[in-house]
Amino acid sequence: MGSENETAVIEFILEGFSGLDQRLQLFLSLVLPFTYLTTVLGNAAIILLMCMDHHLQTPMYFFISNLSFLEIWFTTCTNIKLLAILGSGRRTISLSTCFAQSYFDFALGTVEFILLGVMSFDHYLAICQPLHYAAIMKPQLCIQLAGAAWFMGFTLLSYRLVLLYKLTFCGLKKIHHFFGESSPLFKLSCSDTSLLWKTYLVFLSFIVLSSLHLTLAFYMCIISCILQLPSDSGRKKAFATCSSHLTTLAIVYGSCIALYVCPSEGDSLDTNRIVALLNTVLYPFLNPFIYSLRNKTVILALKKAFVHSTTQLFPLSVCISGQQFQ
């Protein structure tokens, strides 16, 4: 009798931000598409520049290009359905698509945390061990570190996809979020999710907290080395770079710790979704500006690429303008 009353769910309804004030929803519908396009184009430009300019083919920019590639896919997999909801109002999402969103969200997030730890190690060597930097950070080691990050993220979290497909859903099918986030998804299941909750929280806590401790340890060493620099201008420049990096790290680690490692039962659903936006929208948006576009070497490479593309598109006009200035 119970089985007859249970109807298997084959699709979910994403609530998005329907509970927010109409003005806030209008604001999000205007800002989020612009933010998404800027994130994709900005990170893609960084990758293209680093492939074209040999001055940017260094370990630091190699890891930044990996992070840029990751941010393109991370913000796409978590926000593309939200953009569709804001644009067309269609809120349904299939079971498999929802599971795929949940898997890629955490797989890419895991890769990101590992990459941030690797990048902090790279910064530490460049500032605190400059004489040994080239001998340690060889191209082969950089490829191995980046490859390990991607392999661990997608392989270690593949168990979640297997466990997700073992869940059954019946009755309620509205997800109180803007993508297939794990917490509201687990609550909709009529299966026993205790094992999934435990493995999910233990693994996520290990990845986030270990990466955070490693990153903070390296940055403490970096700050200690900066304080020993003889030049005031050098210290100010280094501190400005570190402060911008630490600001973005505070956003990504703070939002993840608040949402996943130590969530509060009293937090409202709206607060949960707003905090999730910081991690899935704001941080990927800031990434190219913080790590690359404030760097003089990158700006110079961008100018050279722009001039080169202009001469390729309009060779005659550039030639004529060059003769006028002679």
Side-chain angles (χ1 to χ4, degrees):
M1 188 75 175
S3 60
E4 291 176 358
N5 292 330
E6 292 183 357
T7 303
V9 174
I10 59 173
E11 65 178 15
F12 296 106
I13 299 173
L14 293 172
E15 188 175 82
F17 290 93
S18 58
L20 290 181
D21 182 78
Q22 289 292 329
R23 287 173 294 182
L24 286 175
Q25 290 191 50
L26 178 61
F27 174 77
L28 287 175
S29 66
L30 294 174
V31 170
L32 287 180
F34 168 77
T35 306
Y36 173 75
L37 287 175
T38 305
T39 300
V40 172
L41 293 176
N43 284 290
I46 297 303
I47 297 171
L48 187 61
L49 275 178
M50 292 173 189
C51 292
M52 293 173 55
D53 197 308
H54 70 278
H55 294 101
L56 301 180
Q57 294 171 5
T58 63
M60 180 179 72
Y61 292 113
F62 172 75
F63 293 125
I64 289 176
S65 63
N66 270 268
L67 189 62
S68 295
F69 180 76
L70 183 146
E71 298 299 357
I72 292 174
W73 291 107
F74 183 68
T75 194
T76 298
C77 82
T78 54
N79 287 286
I80 197 69
K81 187 60 182 179
L82 176 59
L83 295 175
I85 291 173
L86 294 172
S88 65
R90 182 176 175 81
R91 300 177 181 275
T92 57
I93 182 172
S94 68
L95 200 70
S96 58
T97 303
C98 188
F99 288 169
Q101 267 194 334
S102 180
Y103 168 71
F104 282 110
D105 170 43
F106 281 93
L108 290 170
T110 301
V111 176
E112 182 170 15
F113 286 124
I114 298 174
L115 279 177
L116 290 175
V118 171
M119 289 172 66
S120 65
F121 172 66
D122 177 70
H123 293 161
Y124 162 76
L125 288 178
I127 295 174
C128 301
Q129 304 288 335
L131 298 179
H132 304 287
Y133 181 77
I136 297 174
M137 297 303 291
K138 293 181 179 179
Q140 184 178 4
L141 178 61
C142 296
I143 294 173
Q144 289 173 347
L145 289 173
W150 286 94
F151 177 79
M152 289 176 64
F154 280 89
T155 303
L156 293 180
L157 279 173
S158 59
Y159 79 93
R160 292 188 74 255
L161 200 56
V162 176
L163 293 177
L164 280 173
Y165 272 102
K166 290 184 177 180
L167 297 179
T168 55
F169 297 87
C170 46
L172 295 174
K173 60 178 184 176
K174 180 180 285 188
I175 298 178
H176 298 287
H177 217 285
F178 56 86
F179 71 100
E181 207 270 330
S182 294
S183 178
L185 185 62
F186 293 171
K187 292 176 181 177
L188 293 180
S189 176
C190 47
S191 305
D192 182 12
T193 58
S194 57
L195 176 62
L196 196 55
W197 271 112
K198 290 175 182 177
T199 55
Y200 153 72
L201 290 174
V202 169
F203 182 77
L204 191 60
S205 299
F206 172 76
I207 290 293
V208 175
L209 296 180
S210 60
S211 172
L212 176 60
H213 290 153
L214 189 66
T215 301
L216 289 179
F218 282 128
Y219 269 100
M220 287 175 66
C221 295
I222 290 170
I223 292 172
S224 177
C225 290
I226 291 173
L227 291 173
Q228 299 175 18
L229 292 177
S231 169
D232 288 339
S233 60
R235 284 198 297 269
K236 289 180 181 179
K237 182 179 178 181
F239 271 125
T241 302
C242 282
S243 63
S244 60
H245 289 180
L246 289 173
T247 300
T248 56
L249 290 175
I251 293 173
V252 67
Y253 279 107
S255 59
C256 283
I257 290 173
L259 288 173
Y260 306 124
V261 178
C262 49
S264 173
E265 293 294 335
D267 289 343
S268 69
L269 294 172
D270 288 339
T271 302
N272 183 285
R273 282 172 284 190
I274 293 297
V275 174
L277 277 179
L278 296 178
N279 193 31
T280 60
V281 176
L282 183 60
Y283 179 74
F285 173 76
L286 292 177
N287 175 62
F289 299 98
I290 296 298
Y291 287 106
S292 303
L293 296 180
R294 295 173 67 251
N295 188 291
K296 291 182 180 180
T297 307
V298 176
I299 293 174
L300 181 61
L302 190 61
K303 290 180 179 178
K304 287 170 60 179
F306 177 75
V307 171
H308 177 73
S309 61
T310 304
T311 55
Q312 293 293 321
L313 290 173
F314 309 105
L316 182 60
S317 61
V318 172
C319 180
I320 294 172
S321 62
Q323 291 176 355
Q324 290 175 347
F325 283 101
Q326 289 180 351

